[in-house]
Amino acid sequence: MLKLAVMVSGGGTNLQAILDAIEAGGITNAEISVVISNNPGAYALKRAQSHGIEAVCISPKSYETREAFHLALLEKLQSCKAELVVLAGCLIAMPELIVKAYPNRMINIHPALIPSFCGMGYYGLKVHEAVLARGVKVTGATVHFVDSGMDTGPILLQKAVEVREGDTPKILQKRVMEEAEWVILPYAIDLIANDRIRVEDGLVRILK
Ligand code: GRF
């Protein structure tokens, strides 16, 4: 069983998609050991608790320095023996310290087709606002491994979503979640849990 640590900051609909996939058998050979939020008010924590999963808040506000906060995160991940860290709507910029501890063992879901609309400043609704402002006709979501850059790690899975006339950032965000994020994030976890992913020269190969 692959032990997952899921890191969140908000509503946790991606966490819910993972929980549902584990229950329905869409993800096999994996279990969630812990859900960690930097935000005490994150509804994602309640979703974890209602499934009997350990839910902890590690807030930067409780630490005097950023380094102490990062160390607390790392200690929690290590004490839970996490084998795969899943950033599911996690708004913390991952420090080198943690990234280095989980090489090709940490994944993130980004609500656009990387390398478009990613990097510094592209998070949450801002991504969808930028997509609409540029007038692209197709957007989507990407699951990638986390490296020391921002949204630069090896790409695991992508799924395209149509941009429609009359879309607002919120409408588009919802469609991207429903049609792409909630589909590819659980699938990526299942592929890793079943040893079907190889990373070679920064590129991901999916075994049949
Ligand atoms: C999602 O759009 C995800 O791609 C982004 O943050 C949002 C999180 O939503 N990184 P939720 O907390 O999973 O509902």
Side-chain angles (χ1 to χ4, degrees):
M1 278 283 183
L2 185 75
K3 286 188 192 306
L4 311 177
V6 182
M7 298 184 68
V8 296
S9 297
T13 60
N14 279 290
L15 167 67
Q16 190 65 51
I18 298 167
L19 290 165
D20 292 347
I22 289 174
E23 266 164 31
I27 296 175
T28 56
N29 293 322
E31 62 187 6
I32 302 179
S33 298
V34 68
V35 171
I36 303 172
S37 172
N38 59 315
N39 163 18
Y43 186 65
L45 290 171
K46 296 219 162 61
R47 294 183 195 266
Q49 281 156 359
S50 70
H51 281 75
I53 293 167
E54 184 189 359
V56 290
C57 172
I58 299 179
S59 164
K61 295 192 181 126
S62 312
Y63 299 88
E64 276 188 11
T65 62
R66 207 68 193 168
E67 288 70 30
F69 166 58
H70 293 155
L71 265 180
L73 287 175
L74 184 60
E75 276 164 17
K76 185 71 214 172
L77 292 172
Q78 288 175 338
S79 71
C80 293
K81 305 206 170 4
E83 294 165 304
L84 178 69
V85 180
V86 180
L87 307 183
C90 174
L91 294 178
I92 307 165
M94 275 305 140
E96 198 77 10
L97 175 80
I98 299 183
V99 172
K100 285 239 168 80
Y102 294 93
N104 293 335
R105 286 275 136 187
M106 181 183 293
I107 60 173
N108 179 49
I109 177 88
H110 182 75
L113 294 174
I114 291 174
S116 293
F117 307 106
C118 66
M120 190 69 97
Y122 286 101
Y123 59 90
L125 271 184
K126 289 182 193 296
V127 174
H128 307 291
E129 283 163 8
V131 162
L132 292 174
R134 185 62 184 87
V136 296
K137 305 303 178 206
V138 175
T139 183
T142 302
V143 178
H144 63 93
F145 284 109
V146 177
D147 66 7
S148 48
M150 197 169 262
D151 300 327
T152 52
I155 291 173
L156 250 150
L157 293 173
Q158 293 188 299
K159 190 164 189 292
V161 173
E162 182 192 11
V163 179
R164 296 191 194 143
E165 197 145 337
D167 273 351
T168 63
K170 282 206 162 148
I171 291 171
L172 185 58
Q173 179 183 50
K174 184 165 178 278
R175 189 178 316 115
V176 169
M177 284 180 154
E178 289 172 353
E179 293 184 11
E181 295 182 41
W182 301 345
V183 178
I184 62 175
L185 185 58
Y187 185 43
I189 294 169
D190 184 61
L191 289 171
I192 294 169
N194 289 287
D195 195 27
R196 290 183 53 202
I197 296 295
R198 295 289 176 273
V199 186
E200 289 154 12
D201 299 328
L203 301 177
V204 170
R205 194 157 58 91
I206 301 174
L207 307 182
K208 295 270 174 244

